[in-house]
Amino acid sequence: MSSALKLVQDASQRNSTGSKDEGPEAVVRFRGGGFDPRPNAWIGWAAIIGLVAIWQLAAASGYLSPLVLPSPVQVGSALLKMAAADDFTSQVSASLSRVASGWLIGTIMGLIVGCAMGVFSIARAGALPIVSGLYPIPMIAILPLLIVWLGIGESSKTAVIVLGVFSPTVISTFSAVDNVPRGLIRMGQSFGLSWRSIVLKIILPGSLPGVLAGFRITAAIALILLVSAEMIGAEYGIGALILLAGNLMQTDRLVAGVLLLSATGLVISWLLGRLEKALLKWR
Amino acid sequence: MDLSVAAISHWYGGTNALQNVSFDVKSGEVVCLIGPSGCGKSTLLGIIGGLIAPSSGEVRLRGAPPAGSLNPLTYVFQDFALLPWRTVRGNVALALEEHKLPAGELASRVGRALAMCGLSDFAEALPGQLSGGMKQRVGIARAIAVTPAVLLLDEPLSALDAQTRDLLIEDLLEIFRRESATGIWVTHNLDEALRVGDKVVVLSRRPGRLKKIVPVDIPRDQRVLPESAAEMARLHNELWSLIKAEAVMADREVADV
């Protein structure tokens, strides 16, 4: 503000001491601010703490019945109690091993089919209609059929995650391969690179950004399917734990289970971020 | 190595891009290809290098490639076509990795090519960190590392600003001189064509036909001298008069579509 004022003064002085131009004079005001959102970790933490504080206050003052929504302190102590219980590790490891194996198998299958569709005309023409038809199906709808086929045990839960991860991985891999600039492939051909070298040195690294972006989507899908499958029929697992807590009106345990899922999602997202950083250093 | 373009015609679907184009390139000669936009210059270069199959006609090579040539017909691309995830060194080494070279030869070839293009200090940089001019130097280093018989340059300077272009053209001429390289250089810039070409092949608007072959008889190192100015201006006028009417017509054709 003060510098702007000074400019006005300078300008008026110059005007009075010699300029022949008698017209009115103005200083150009800066008008290019805003529309430039920036991250700020402090405000982020403050917002979380503020929300929890309001929640705690509402619960403590009696506005919120513990049955509707237990206070953060109650949720915290439920979480600690759960963590101390004997079956906690088996609950969490059941969920993690289902989601990890399902995601991994679905991803590997999807990568193979997606790459084949990106490179071979026959694979593309043959698989595209099938995958396009598979893609919009909410895979949880197939779980009853999978249970008929595979029984109520682990394999039906893993299979539903495999199926749910498979078609989005195919689509993202196929389009990532397809989006590798043709010019780079022609360059490889013009330098006499073999088919194998073109695939390994140009197409695969070139499609990696798109493939990794797809991982974020499929990880979220895998988590949703995991909880759904565990709610339909499982003894152990975070989804089963949440469902049981709901049936028993133990809302503190229920919310604690949801927080556990949130933490799982955050850890997965962090791991994927690390993977992207390691593999895409060049970006 | 001599190269003959023999009666090349090409269609894209129903569109006739090139019609019966023939010319010869002698070993050690730099031939510039000019013509109005859309006349099929780049298509012709793609055909010459074997990246596009012509509808009819053929390209013939005669003579042995230079000793140690790993890729007789080698491109320098307008958009550089560098792999962004490989360092400068990795990009230059890409084609060499295909061959079983004696120990140390890969490194020495890469080192020599980088040194010739002034890239030795940038060997570990990624393409994304380089300016356009430096990226094209990498493209040129990659090409000379395989000891080509004929360099195929597809508007190699068109993506660069005027100053970078002037700097790079001198370096390229020096490389052509030292390697006594044969080149086919596609451009739409008449000055560029007259600066580098031993002869200039002028194509008509679509379908591209051979309009005229204009020899540039002034030695390359004398073309910038004042005493050559009159002859250079005459050549420029000759090329421009060949191109201008075609360019105007081509421009209207595009506008009609």
Side-chain angles (χ1 to χ4, degrees), chain B residues 138-157:
Chain B
V138 180
I140 295 162
R142 178 177 63 189
I144 58 180
V146 296
T147 324
V150 183
L151 270 176
L152 306 173
L153 302 107
D154 188 4
E155 307 215 19
L157 307 177

Side-chain angles (χ1 to χ4, degrees), chain B residues 64-84:
Chain B
S69 179
L70 301 174
N71 192 47
L73 296 170
T74 300
Y75 282 91
V76 173
F77 297 93
Q78 179 178 1
D79 62 357
F80 323 128
L82 303 177
L83 301 180

Side-chain angles (χ1 to χ4, degrees), chain A residues 190-191 194 197 201-202 205 282, chain B residues 71 74-75 82 84-85 97-98:
Chain A
S190 81
F191 275 92
S194 64
S197 289
K201 295 178 179 176
I202 297 176
W282 50 276
Chain B
N71 192 47
T74 300
Y75 282 91
L82 303 177
W85 51 86
E97 293 165 6
E98 289 296 299

Side-chain angles (χ1 to χ4, degrees), chain B residues 86-174:
Chain B
R86 280 188 169 229
T87 61
V88 167
R89 184 190 302 282
N91 269 287
V92 175
L94 178 73
L96 303 176
E97 293 165 6
E98 289 296 299
H99 302 271
K100 286 204 167 59
L101 297 172
E105 192 185 331
L106 189 146
S108 72
R109 274 179 181 255
V110 171
R112 179 174 169 274
L114 290 178
M116 275 183 79
C117 297
L119 288 166
S120 300
D121 293 340
F122 299 87
E124 306 311 324
L126 289 167
Q129 300 170 301
L130 302 177
S131 67
M134 292 304 269
K135 283 182 190 159
Q136 193 54 294
R137 281 169 201 274
V138 180
I140 295 162
R142 178 177 63 189
I144 58 180
V146 296
T147 324
V150 183
L151 270 176
L152 306 173
L153 302 107
D154 188 4
E155 307 215 19
L157 307 177
S158 296
L160 307 175
D161 64 81
Q163 285 168 15
T164 311
R165 210 148 45 201
D166 286 344
L167 285 173
L168 206 54
I169 211 166
E170 298 301 324
D171 291 354
L172 265 167
L173 288 176
E174 174 63 16

Side-chain angles (χ1 to χ4, degrees), chain B residues 187-199:
Chain B
T187 179
H188 57 253
N189 184 321
L190 302 187
D191 292 316
E192 200 177 296
L194 287 173
R195 182 83 186 81
V196 302
D198 293 303
K199 58 190 189 195

Side-chain angles (χ1 to χ4, degrees), chain A residues 72-88:
Chain A
V73 173
Q74 288 167 318
V75 170
S77 70
L79 196 59
L80 286 177
K81 250 184 254 164
M82 274 161 57
D86 293 339
D87 62 347
F88 181 72

